[in-house]
Amino acid sequence: MNHRFTITVARAAVIFVKSVLMHREFLVFKQVGKSPETMTTASTRQEVIEEGRKHLLIEEGRKQLLINLRRRTTREPSFKLATDTLNFLRKVVLHGTYNNLEELLALLRENGLILSGAYPSELVMRNLVLMVCKLARESNSRETNGEFDSPYDSLNKLWKKEDKENQIGRSAKTIRKKLIQAVNDIQIEMETCREHISAQGQYLVHMNDVLIVHSLSTSTTLSSFLAGAKKDKKTRVFSVQIPTEPDDHDAVSISLCEVAGKMCEATKVILSGATVFPDGSCLAPAGGLSICLAAHRHSVPVYVLCAFYKIAPFFVPDSSAVIKHSLPGLPVAMASKWAGRVRVLQPALEMIPANLITLFVSNTASIMPSHIYRLIGDYYHPDDVANY
Amino acid sequence: MTRKKTIEKKAQTVPSDEPTNNETVASEPSSSTPNEPEATEQVSELVNGVTNLSMTDKERGEMDRQTKSKEQIKAEREAKKAEKANKKANATSKVVASPAPQIQQHAPQIPNGQTLLSTTQVSKLENKKDVTQKPPSPEPKSAIKKDTARGNREVQFDLNTTVLRTPSEETISDLPKMFVFTDLAPNFNVHPVFHTLAARCERGQVADVDDLCEEFLSAFVKFISDWGAERLHNSDADPTALGFDLDLAIRPQLGYLTEDGRWPLPYALGNLVRQLKREIKRLDEPCKHAHTKEDGTVAAELPGGCDKLKELEEWLEETRYSCFELATNSISTHLMQKRKFSKKIVTFDWCRVVNRILLDSLVGEDPDLKHIVVLDQQLNGRGVRHMDTLLDKNVKLDYGDLRSLSVALHKCSIVLIGCSAVLSNGCVAVPKGSLSIALSAQANNIPFMVCAQTFKFVDKVQTYGRMALLGRENMELVPSSLITAIVTDIRIVPPSSAPAILKAKALESQN
């Protein structure tokens, strides 16, 4: 009796596993967009399964990225987010199915839209998607023409006929190889970004300068910039922070309400930017606007540190759409009393207009706010920006 | 006033006595001359003037020549020289030799180990003996007596102390510094209500200048009633010098609050104290209108100037009512026109006037005000008081710190802020952080209004870093260029009209 029972259980288990595998296969076919019945030969069937697995791989990577974003309690540095996004995009380029540039761009755009739809406030993700799109176009163009013509320099080539057939007809394998190499280059550039910015600190900060910095504890770029500035120069640093934040030993901590009074002593204000817009305005940690206004009143120069991946190709007319609110951190008694009655405002970021900023310190150079739009041509393609 | 005069007279008489005594002492040798009437004349002439002295010497010389021969004169001169020489010799010997024998005389009477006399005490003893020129008595002075009597109790190993003191003689200043609480040192001239007020301020229980002024006025009423009752029992008190005495009595109180003038009083409180002092001075002035009864007879004044003190108490109550109740009402009324169409108001930190305005603007079935944003220097600060009062009202409430400034000012109609003082150049002393708000409001083209009662206007152009009672006050100056208007109890004025308000207040107080 027992023997029979075990046999039936084993058979049932086998059937279950088979059905699971079948279902998974079905899912794979569903991902590819073809039904298993239409597949005739075994080799084609195997290819489709392989294709579907790659799809699943991309989807899992995307899910993992979004879950990591959802899990975080405080806002992490943009560098980590940029690295994660780039790793995901590399996965898309590597495992994605495409035969030409158009399909690759569509695939990248599709994934990018899902990411930026889930987190519209994280503009860095969108920037990197568009950046990879431009690199894809660049690598394809190099493959066909031998050189890449900047779309912004196309005024003299208006009468030239565009050879679209050449662009489409390139093999996906070569594009993929070149693009992965370009993405790796971006990765290296991002990693060395902090060093380049901190190296500029030696030239921008002078002897006996009094600096006012904001969100020093959360920005590693800012702390490395100050370390670079302090190497051979004696400076005094006022760090604007809330009382609960940990103190930095090298800086005198002041609260935000004291900034306007201290500004008469300061010679420079240094902020870390979250996103830079083409018109020269930028998103900075909340509180930056009042610091900049006070600096403007006292004619103190304001430097904003921003890596290249923070330069956004779009301008956001309503900044409230991209500003995320952080957790308020009120006492429990008060929170229970106010629940449903009071809205506690705690924006994480703040929009600073271009006229309050003196200089953007990027990894390549120090740029005036009015010249930011010129960098956009280096990193983005106008067609990608228009179609996004 | 009479007491003051007597003090002045004493001060004049004391120095005038000394030169006359000296002159009489100087004139003693001359009185030894044979002609006594001349000597008396000399004394009288000495008092009159020095020029007369030379005249008397000449006359005396003529008289001597007439009566004495040359030999006699020579003999007298020699004798005088010899006397002078003797006197000089005695004086030098006294100066050199006098300390030694005295110490030698005292030393055997102090037991071993008790010779730790201070140099000041020794020198005092010497001086006394030099002045009196009496032979040293075998008994030591009383101070030494005490020391010798308590020889067993003395601490022998304390090398730092040069003076031996009994427990009763020890003062708080003799204790090691770590045990001295100078702030808690008892000041018996200060009324307990001022002690309480200072302690409350120290603990941070007094929120702002308005509360402080109100508490000061109520404390002063208590002080006056107690002081008046004490004065009533004092039979020596001069009824005509009531104001003068009260002025003297409040000095230690104010000195205690300002730590002996170390820190200035907060401006608004300083204004009130100035007015109060003026009222106190008026107490000594003769009454313009005597108290008359209904039947026309003049009412008898209460003893000890109680009626005048009552008048002062009434004045204090009236000031409190006009400065806080009436002024707040009129500010709220003046602002009614301005806030009529405003749907969103942003305020910063706690101010009772602003709170009153907000509550007033929420009265009615369908108030225009729909949205109130309260900002604070940091979360869970003083602005929470606004929230406590507004929580049950039918209005949308937002709360945040200065980091949420740009979000708070979005679609805002008015920024309304209370202040602690308005200076004569139009600058306003406001809580720290208001300058950032004023700058942001200007950048967003939002009117920045300041509420201030007229007693907060001061004729100064600068603030101090620290004020009395409120400690290192969280204040900063907002320049007049950033302020749209100041809402006072007279009317809404631009910040440039601060001198006009001051002038109006001055005229009002004169009348």
Side-chain angles (χ1 to χ4, degrees):
Chain A
M1 189 66 184
N2 286 337
H3 184 64
R4 275 188 183 178
F5 179 73
T6 47
I7 287 170
T8 48
V9 168
R11 275 180 186 169
V14 168
I15 289 164
F16 176 73
V17 170
K18 270 187 180 176
S19 66
V20 167
L21 286 173
M22 288 275 283
H23 180 68
R24 190 172 170 79
E25 205 170 278
F26 174 75
L27 280 177
V28 167
F29 283 116
K30 201 180 171 186
Q31 286 286 335
V32 180
K34 293 167 186 173
S35 66
E37 285 77 19
T38 54
M39 299 292 106
T40 50
T41 58
S43 62
T44 327
R45 191 185 174 86
Q46 200 62 37
E47 277 175 16
V48 170
I49 290 169
E50 190 63 30
E51 198 180 324
R53 274 182 192 155
K54 282 179 179 175
H55 266 281
L56 282 176
L57 209 63
I58 292 169
E59 199 171 321
E60 276 172 18
R62 194 173 62 218
K63 274 182 187 169
Q64 196 58 44
L65 177 64
L66 293 176
I67 287 167
N68 285 344
L69 274 172
R70 183 67 60 85
R71 272 182 186 165
R72 64 183 186 175
T73 51
T74 54
R75 199 174 170 278
E76 287 171 353
S78 305
F79 173 71
K80 192 179 179 305
L81 180 63
T83 315
D84 289 351
T85 315
L86 200 64
N87 286 335
F88 166 67
L89 291 173
R90 189 190 284 121
K91 222 176 258 180
V92 172
V93 172
L94 206 61
H95 303 301
T97 313
Y98 48 88
N99 295 319
N100 50 35
L101 180 68
E102 289 298 319
E103 284 179 18
L104 172 61
L105 290 178
L107 185 67
L108 285 171
R109 198 179 301 136
E110 184 193 339
N111 281 295
L113 284 172
I114 293 170
L115 289 182
S116 51
Y119 284 94
S121 59
E122 298 296 349
L123 298 172
V124 171
M125 292 199 295
R126 197 182 62 179
N127 295 347
L128 280 165
V129 170
L130 291 172
M131 221 173 265
V132 173
C133 283
K134 197 246 177 184
L135 287 174
R137 281 175 189 275
E138 200 177 319
S139 53
N140 185 52
S141 175
R142 286 230 170 93
E143 192 66 25
T144 52
N145 303 338
E147 59 175 6
F148 178 65
D149 298 327
S150 173
Y152 294 96
D153 298 338
S154 60
L155 194 63
N156 298 327
K157 300 164 191 172
L158 279 175
W159 58 90
K160 279 189 179 178
K161 193 185 172 185
E162 272 191 46
D163 194 359
K164 285 187 179 176
E165 288 174 5
N166 272 343
Q167 286 185 6
I168 296 165
R170 289 296 112 188
S171 65
K173 211 172 185 181
T174 48
I175 295 174
R176 180 175 292 152
K177 195 182 170 187
K178 292 277 178 190
L179 187 53
I180 291 294
Q181 203 176 347
V183 168
N184 288 341
D185 288 346
I186 287 190
Q187 178 81 40
I188 292 164
E189 197 179 347
M190 272 166 56
E191 282 164 5
T192 56
C193 204
R194 198 168 290 160
E195 291 169 23
H196 289 304
I197 289 176
S198 67
Q200 290 189 54
Q202 296 175 24
Y203 308 108
L204 290 172
V205 177
H206 302 132
M207 197 72 177
N208 296 327
D209 262 351
V210 181
L211 310 174
I212 289 185
V213 297
H214 184 32
S215 65
L216 183 61
S217 59
T218 52
S219 170
T220 41
T221 312
L222 185 55
S223 49
S224 64
F225 179 86
L226 285 181
K230 278 189 167 182
K231 259 181 190 172
D232 52 348
K233 291 187 180 75
K234 191 182 162 190
T235 55
R236 201 147 61 94
V237 182
F238 291 116
S239 171
V240 181
Q241 54 190 193
I242 52 172
T244 50
E245 275 182 82
D247 284 350
D248 194 310
H249 293 295
D250 297 336
V252 180
S253 60
I254 55 171
S255 65
L256 196 56
C257 59
E258 290 173 299
V259 168
K262 286 275 180 201
M263 195 53 78
C264 51
E265 294 177 34
T267 55
K268 280 180 184 71
V269 170
I270 299 167
L271 303 175
S272 61
T275 310
V276 182
F277 295 107
D279 69 331
S281 57
C282 80
L283 284 179
L289 180 61
S290 54
I291 297 174
C292 287
L293 283 167
H296 188 66
R297 189 174 170 79
H298 290 266
S299 302
V300 176
V302 177
Y303 297 162
V304 178
L305 311 181
C306 65
F308 70 96
Y309 52 85
K310 290 179 180 176
I311 298 169
F314 294 108
F315 177 70
V316 181
D318 183 14
S319 60
S320 60
V322 291
I323 290 175
K324 204 189 163 197
H325 283 253
S326 53
L327 299 169
L330 282 173
V332 177
M334 195 185 288
S336 62
K337 195 177 169 186
W338 288 5
R341 294 167 164 186
V342 180
R343 188 177 64 149
V344 179
L345 306 171
Q346 275 289 289
L349 300 170
E350 210 167 34
M351 176 77 92
I352 298 173
N355 64 326
L356 300 178
I357 297 165
T358 314
L359 212 59
F360 283 105
V361 183
S362 185
N363 51 330
T364 50
S366 302
I367 317 142
M368 279 169 66
S370 53
H371 287 185
I372 282 286
Y373 76 97
R374 300 183 76 171
L375 287 181
I376 288 167
D378 293 350
Y379 296 112
Y380 305 105
H381 195 277
D383 290 349
D384 294 331
V385 175
N387 297 331
Y388 196 75
Chain B
M1 290 296 286
T2 50
R3 189 174 286 187
K4 197 178 180 182
K5 281 177 185 173
T6 50
I7 290 167
E8 283 174 359
K9 278 179 186 173
K10 276 182 185 175
Q12 285 171 357
T13 50
V14 169
S16 62
D17 289 342
E18 286 174 6
T20 50
N21 288 336
N22 290 338
E23 282 167 6
T24 48
V25 170
S27 63
E28 272 178 10
S30 63
S31 65
S32 63
T33 49
N35 293 329
E36 282 184 10
E38 281 182 9
T40 51
E41 279 176 18
Q42 281 173 5
V43 171
S44 62
E45 280 167 5
L46 269 171
V47 175
N48 291 331
V50 185
T51 49
N52 296 340
L53 256 174
S54 58
M55 291 293 290
T56 51
D57 285 340
K58 282 178 184 176
E59 285 172 4
R60 202 196 311 156
E62 285 173 4
M63 290 288 289
D64 288 341
R65 280 169 202 164
Q66 287 172 3
T67 51
K68 294 172 184 176
S69 63
K70 286 180 181 177
E71 289 174 358
Q72 284 175 339
I73 290 164
K74 276 184 181 177
E76 279 179 359
R77 280 176 182 170
E78 283 172 1
K80 278 180 182 176
K81 280 179 184 175
E83 277 178 8
K84 281 179 182 175
N86 283 331
K87 277 180 183 175
K88 279 181 184 177
N90 285 333
T92 49
S93 64
K94 272 178 189 173
V95 169
V96 174
S98 60
Q102 283 169 4
I103 290 170
Q104 282 172 3
Q105 285 164 359
H106 289 290
Q109 292 172 8
I110 302 167
N112 290 334
Q114 293 176 17
T115 52
L116 296 166
L117 276 171
S118 72
T119 51
T120 51
Q121 276 183 331
V122 172
S123 62
K124 274 182 185 175
L125 288 170
E126 289 163 17
N127 290 335
K128 277 184 181 177
K129 278 158 197 173
D130 283 343
V131 171
T132 51
Q133 295 204 350
K134 285 178 183 175
S137 60
E139 291 289 323
K141 293 286 177 188
S142 61
I144 301 165
K145 253 187 183 179
K146 279 179 188 174
D147 292 339
T148 50
R150 294 180 176 84
N152 296 331
R153 289 190 208 168
E154 286 154 12
V155 183
Q156 303 291 331
F157 48 81
D158 193 356
L159 298 173
N160 292 328
T161 51
T162 51
V163 182
L164 300 173
R165 286 173 187 270
T166 58
S168 60
E169 284 174 348
E170 277 180 359
T171 59
I172 197 161
S173 58
D174 298 326
L175 291 169
K177 270 202 167 179
M178 56 186 291
F179 298 117
V180 175
F181 302 102
T182 49
D183 293 340
L184 300 177
N187 193 344
F188 297 110
N189 291 327
V190 180
H191 195 273
V193 286
F194 294 107
H195 281 295
T196 315
L197 180 65
R200 277 173 60 78
C201 290
E202 189 76 21
R203 284 185 182 182
Q205 290 172 342
V206 179
D208 55 356
V209 181
D210 291 33
D211 285 356
L212 178 65
C213 290
E214 204 165 1
E215 288 202 15
F216 177 81
L217 289 179
S218 56
F220 205 83
V221 169
K222 279 182 195 169
F223 165 71
I224 283 180
S225 60
D226 287 357
W227 183 80
E230 194 184 337
R231 189 182 159 79
L232 202 62
H233 293 295
N234 188 6
S235 56
D236 299 338
D238 184 6
T240 55
L242 179 72
F244 180 73
D245 290 349
L246 186 55
D247 190 37
L248 283 180
I250 65 166
R251 275 178 194 177
Q253 326 296 331
L254 294 175
Y256 174 71
L257 295 180
T258 58
E259 296 180 34
D260 290 333
R262 201 171 166 199
W263 312 113
L265 284 172
Y267 283 142
L269 184 58
N271 271 350
L272 283 180
V273 168
R274 209 173 299 124
Q275 284 180 32
L276 183 65
K277 279 186 175 173
R278 201 181 299 140
E279 284 299 316
I280 288 170
K281 274 184 185 175
R282 279 184 193 171
L283 292 179
D284 286 343
E285 289 174 7
C287 284
K288 286 176 185 173
H289 50 88
H291 294 276
T292 51
K293 285 180 181 176
E294 288 176 358
D295 54 351
T297 55
V298 177
E301 282 191 0
L302 291 169
C306 283
D307 50 343
K308 287 185 174 178
L309 287 181
K310 270 189 179 177
E311 275 178 23
L312 191 62
E313 280 179 27
E314 279 169 15
W315 179 85
L316 283 169
E317 180 58 30
E318 194 184 317
T319 308
R320 194 198 66 76
Y321 182 68
S322 64
C323 285
F324 299 106
E325 304 291 332
L326 285 179
T328 314
N329 277 343
S330 53
I331 284 174
S332 181
T333 319
H334 288 311
L335 203 60
M336 180 66 85
Q337 292 299 321
K338 289 286 169 193
R339 67 156 195 260
K340 208 168 186 180
F341 304 107
S342 56
K343 291 191 173 175
K344 184 177 175 183
I345 289 182
V346 174
T347 184
F348 176 68
D349 214 81
W350 165 254
C351 174
R352 55 154 72 177
V353 183
V354 173
N355 190 41
R356 173 71 183 277
I357 290 166
L358 293 177
L359 288 173
D360 283 354
S361 55
L362 291 172
V363 173
E365 286 185 359
D366 187 21
D368 290 312
L369 187 58
K370 306 283 183 198
H371 193 174
I372 295 172
V373 184
V374 180
L375 296 178
D376 234 331
Q377 287 178 353
Q378 59 197 41
L379 288 179
N380 200 8
R382 297 199 308 174
V384 176
R385 292 176 178 218
H386 278 300
M387 306 303 289
D388 292 339
T389 54
L390 296 168
L391 212 55
D392 298 328
K393 309 290 175 190
N394 186 24
V395 66
K396 190 180 171 189
L397 285 174
D398 281 358
Y399 177 77
D401 60 359
L402 278 178
R403 288 181 299 168
S404 54
L405 185 57
S406 58
V407 182
L409 290 180
H410 185 63
K411 290 183 181 174
C412 170
S413 313
I414 287 181
V415 178
L416 203 60
I417 278 181
C419 73
S420 62
V422 181
L423 309 186
S424 61
N425 56 357
C427 292
V428 175
V430 283
K432 254 183 192 173
S434 306
L435 186 53
S436 299
I437 295 178
L439 286 167
S440 297
Q442 196 191 36
N444 289 306
N445 203 16
I446 295 167
F448 184 83
M449 314 276 273
V450 179
C451 304
Q453 299 99 315
T454 43
F455 77 92
K456 287 180 179 174
F457 282 72
V458 284
D459 195 9
K460 280 175 184 162
V461 289
Q462 209 178 356
T463 52
Y464 299 98
R466 188 185 165 124
M467 294 282 187
L469 293 170
L470 292 177
R472 197 165 287 283
E473 207 181 12
N474 274 333
M475 284 295 146
E476 66 185 3
L477 277 187
V478 170
S480 55
S481 59
L482 296 176
I483 299 163
T484 313
I486 301 170
V487 190
T488 66
D489 42 347
I490 299 174
R491 65 184 69 175
I492 297 179
V493 293
S496 55
S497 299
I501 298 278
L502 283 169
K503 184 73 181 170
K505 285 292 283 181
L507 287 172
E508 187 191 331
S509 63
Q510 278 176 13
N511 294 329

